[in-house]
Amino acid sequence: MTPSPPSPTTEHPTASGAQSSTARASEDRSARIAVTVFPALILAAAVFAFFVPAAGQAIAPFTSIFLGIIMFAMGLTLTVPDFALVARRPLPVLIGIVAQYGIMPLIGLGVALLLQLPTELLVGVVLVGSAPGGTSSNVIAYLSKADTALSVTMTSVSTLLAPLLTPLLALWLAGSYLPVDAGDMAMSIVQMVLIPVVGGIVVRLVLGKLVDRVLPALPWVSVAGISLVIIAVVSGSTEAIVSAGAIVLLAVVLHNGLGYLIGYWIARLLRQGERASRTTSIEVGMQNSGLAATLAASAFTPAAALPAAIFSIWHNLSGAMLAMYYRRSADNHQSDA
């Protein structure tokens, strides 16, 4: 979970929405800055929590509230056209969602078993893979000149499906390693994710002009919220970081990189265009690590949240590098539907 996504309509502003387009352009600038400095801020938050764990423990009970605020901010950025794309272009959306929930959980389990991670860390990696897409993927898609509207729709739909699919996948893949209360996890996701997102969408519908004025601040709401979540998680995982930080980083790099690679090639094999395939690659590889960290810390132990904390830092770094790579040849594929 990361900076709020730029609106897909930013790429095609209309005269009737001049004021809204201006706000969205400002939001885009804010999002670009946020996604650039986000990894540094998250790393600083992690270092602070590691050396001053008492501060992190003081805010640990409020992580679900922080996540709810982040998800409400995400809801404020969404509009009806974000979901209308499901009807207009169902196949690429379906491919992205199936790849999101079919590839990443299995890759996570495979990487954890390959590296012989301890049980708590294995469960944490699986939970990261079972989370929906993160909104940072929307910003990276925008910076890559990929299909931002498709990315926003994939993230929105996968987020709405999270209360059902995330607990079921965690139970299926991790339940034999640690007890997983899928019912409690589903209820937590409803409270922390679904209700705030839907609430944000409703507020956007009712108070659209007012929301347009605050759009530029929303990326920073996400940055602040996830920084607080990371402080809380890392402060309770200092021993795990010392003993297993390097191997968890390797697991995260493999998990994220394979998500990019396999997501892209599945879309290509299913005859999707280059822009849609690049978008699927980004969407599959980048996860809502804030949700995964919060669920892991509340349902298991702070150590189980460590993979999600490290994923938060790494996938933004790797996403920025991937955006630079994709952007170089993006103009050759702008007409690719």
Side-chain angles (χ1 to χ4, degrees):
M1 188 68 208
T2 41
S4 301
S7 170
T9 56
T10 302
E11 296 176 318
H12 305 286
T14 60
S16 61
Q19 181 178 359
S20 179
S21 297
T22 301
R24 286 167 179 152
S26 180
E27 177 202 2
D28 294 339
R29 289 192 296 271
S30 183
R32 287 196 295 270
I33 296 171
V35 81
T36 302
V37 303
F38 180 76
L41 293 176
I42 291 297
L43 183 59
V47 171
F48 171 78
F50 183 81
F51 289 105
V52 192
Q57 290 301 291
I59 65 173
F62 306 103
T63 52
S64 60
I65 296 176
F66 301 148
L67 183 64
I69 293 172
I70 295 168
M71 300 312 298
F72 179 73
M74 174 187 172
L76 289 176
T77 68
L78 299 178
T79 60
V80 173
D82 297 336
F83 298 94
L85 193 66
V86 177
R88 297 201 310 270
R89 296 172 60 194
L91 183 56
V93 175
L94 180 62
I95 290 172
I97 300 303
V98 172
Q100 173 75 52
Y101 282 115
I103 291 174
M104 290 301 279
L106 293 173
I107 294 176
L109 179 61
V111 167
L113 292 174
L114 176 66
L115 298 179
Q116 299 181 338
L117 295 183
T119 300
E120 289 179 334
L121 297 178
L122 179 149
V123 171
V125 172
V126 169
L127 196 53
V128 170
S130 303
T135 55
S136 56
S137 62
N138 309 148
V139 179
I140 296 302
Y142 177 79
L143 298 178
S144 301
K145 293 188 177 180
D147 193 332
T148 308
L150 178 61
S151 177
V152 170
T153 301
M154 287 179 179
T155 299
S156 305
V157 175
S158 69
T159 298
L160 295 179
L161 291 174
L164 173 64
L165 295 182
T166 298
L168 289 178
L169 288 167
L171 178 62
W172 173 43
L173 297 174
S176 60
Y177 298 96
L178 280 179
V180 176
D181 191 328
D184 281 354
M185 188 178 293
M187 185 56 64
S188 295
I189 298 174
V190 168
Q191 294 171 346
M192 295 186 297
V193 176
L194 189 61
I195 292 175
V197 168
V198 173
I201 294 172
V202 171
V203 171
R204 179 72 181 268
L205 286 172
V206 176
L207 302 172
K209 292 184 179 179
L210 177 62
V211 172
D212 282 342
R213 296 177 183 175
V214 302
L215 282 178
L218 296 182
W220 298 105
V221 172
S222 296
V223 169
I226 192 61
S227 296
L228 291 172
V229 170
I230 294 305
I231 289 173
V233 168
V234 171
S235 67
S237 311
T238 53
E239 293 182 4
I241 293 173
V242 172
S243 63
I247 194 69
V248 173
L249 175 60
L250 176 59
V252 164
V253 171
L254 289 173
H255 195 185
N256 172 240
L258 288 171
Y260 290 145
L261 185 64
I262 297 175
Y264 174 84
W265 283 108
I266 281 185
R268 291 299 286 167
L269 289 172
L270 293 173
R271 300 183 178 182
Q272 296 303 295
E274 183 67 19
R275 288 187 74 207
S277 298
R278 292 181 176 191
T279 305
T280 303
S281 166
I282 295 166
E283 193 67 27
V284 172
M286 305 187 77
Q287 300 293 92
N288 189 334
S289 47
L291 172 61
T294 305
L295 289 176
S298 59
F300 303 108
T301 65
L306 182 59
I310 294 178
F311 202 100
S312 289
I313 302 169
W314 173 253
H315 81 158
N316 284 280
L317 289 169
S318 66
M321 291 185 286
L322 187 64
M324 287 190 293
Y325 173 75
Y326 279 161
R327 194 178 181 90
R328 290 177 184 173
S329 59
D331 291 339
N332 298 331
H333 308 289
Q334 289 307 299
S335 62
D336 178 19

